Amino acid sequence: MLRPHVPVNPLPTGHITPLIQPTPTTDIEPIAPVPAPAPVPVAPARTSVQLTPGSALAFAAGGGAVVLVVGAVLVSMLLAVAITGVSVAVCAVVLKSLLNQERKH
């Protein structure tokens, strides 16, 4: 059922397509050479980045904000998993007590 089936033509049509013969290309005209592009001016090498006290403080504050946001997301995910686990455990205890109570009566 899942095997591919290749269609087969049971009766050939009798039409034969002839092979295409390449034509000789001896009358091609040469193209004029393209002029070389103008040299691109090279920018001077940059020195290392210099942080001023204000930019260093902004950089540190931005890094601290990223750490706080990522930490808050991770803690909230951990709390969600913990709350889900506790609720599943409570449901299991309630179901077990209901089943035990039903067996006694």
Side-chain angles (χ1 to χ4, degrees), residues 7-103:
V8 178
N9 188 2
L11 300 173
T13 59
H15 297 288
I16 299 174
T17 306
L19 295 175
I20 299 173
Q21 299 294 331
T23 58
T25 55
T26 57
D27 55 346
I28 297 177
E29 297 179 15
I31 300 175
V34 178
V40 178
V42 178
R46 292 184 175 203
T47 59
S48 62
V49 177
Q50 296 177 356
L51 293 176
T52 61
S55 63
L57 184 63
F59 184 70
V66 168
V67 167
L68 288 177
V69 168
V70 170
V73 168
L74 291 177
V75 168
S76 64
M77 289 172 59
L78 178 65
L79 284 174
V81 170
I83 290 170
T84 304
V86 169
S87 65
V88 168
V90 168
C91 289
V93 169
V94 169
L95 283 174
K96 186 176 179 181
S97 67
L98 286 174
L99 289 174
N100 285 338
Q101 188 179 30
E102 189 174 303
R103 287 182 193 161

